[in-house]
Amino acid sequence: MLALWILLGLCAFLALLLLLPLHIYLAFTPEAGFSFYARYAFLTIRPDGEPNEKLMEQIFTLLGLRDVSSTANARSAVSAKGVAATLRELGAVLRTLLGRVFWLLHRGTFRRFSLHIAVGAGDPADAALDYGMVCAALYPVLGLLQSAIRFRRPDVAVTCTEEPQTNVEFSAKFSLRAILIVRAFFHLLAENVRNTL
């Protein structure tokens, strides 16, 4: 009888763990570059130092997001193609990724989403033109994201500045229940086994 109670207690504990949310924190600043960490129950998973930058660059390259995989790549992409063209390419890649993981992302929530872009080009006329191109490229990408993921109070602002360079600052908190990740993993595993057989 004691073994049964222990087994029931373990099952209840496992069920509780599966119902807890996984929180993923994302941030980008020109000084620090892109960073992220995850928090689940009482655990915090935070890549440290250089491996974080290298790991993010490899993951972004694998996903087809090489242009924004690091601060240097983002700056060179913006210099070569412009902010609007880089955002359009980013939107095309995001469409493909969202199609593949739509079910999982649709059940998650951005509890915080803050994106501030200060468009600068030195010359006011160029800055105004770049501002229009950034808005034309950014808002369709945001619309695509909002069709796939729930947002709570998104804070998005695009402004013009007299600075010679465009400045981007981003921070977000994405939450998803662990049981949904486990379910998606087993669904993907079953699909791979079915395709292999």
Side-chain angles (χ1 to χ4, degrees):
M1 190 68 178
L2 181 62
L4 180 62
W5 281 110
I6 291 172
L7 185 62
L8 285 173
L10 285 173
C11 288
F13 180 69
L14 184 61
L16 178 66
L17 284 180
L18 288 174
L19 291 175
L20 290 175
L22 170 72
H23 302 292
I24 299 170
Y25 296 84
L26 309 162
F28 176 84
T29 58
E31 300 82 26
F34 189 83
S35 63
F36 79 99
Y37 68 95
R39 183 172 288 155
Y40 176 67
F42 49 86
L43 298 173
T44 300
I45 304 158
R46 186 192 301 269
D48 293 323
E50 283 302 309
N52 183 16
E53 186 76 23
K54 289 179 182 172
L55 176 66
M56 287 312 302
E57 192 165 346
Q58 289 171 354
I59 290 171
F60 274 47
T61 302
L62 181 68
L63 295 174
L65 301 169
R66 187 181 183 287
D67 283 350
V68 291
S69 62
S70 69
T71 307
N73 286 353
R75 283 197 176 134
S76 65
V78 167
S79 298
K81 305 173 193 174
V83 178
T86 304
L87 283 171
R88 273 195 298 273
E89 287 181 12
L90 179 64
V93 173
L94 282 174
R95 274 189 199 89
T96 305
L97 290 175
L98 288 175
R100 290 180 185 161
V101 293
F102 179 81
W103 182 87
L104 188 61
L105 291 178
H106 190 62
R107 281 146 182 82
T109 304
F110 271 114
R111 296 188 182 280
R112 185 180 73 244
F113 187 93
S114 174
L115 175 63
H116 294 175
I117 301 175
V119 180
D123 181 35
D126 289 342
L129 183 63
D130 287 349
Y131 171 83
M133 291 170 63
V134 166
C135 288
L138 173 67
Y139 288 108
V141 171
L142 282 175
L144 176 69
L145 282 173
Q146 288 178 324
S147 69
I149 307 169
R150 286 178 296 216
F151 283 73
R152 280 195 188 160
R153 299 183 304 276
D155 174 24
V156 178
V158 182
T159 57
C160 274
T161 180
E162 295 179 0
E163 297 294 321
Q165 281 188 327
T166 296
N167 186 30
V168 178
E169 292 186 358
F170 169 72
S171 69
K173 176 186 175 184
F174 181 73
S175 299
L176 183 67
R177 293 200 183 278
I179 193 167
L180 298 171
I181 298 169
V182 172
R183 181 179 167 190
F185 171 76
F186 280 113
H187 177 71
L188 185 64
L189 190 64
E191 265 190 9
N192 285 341
V193 169
R194 201 164 42 240
N195 291 339
T196 304
L197 294 176

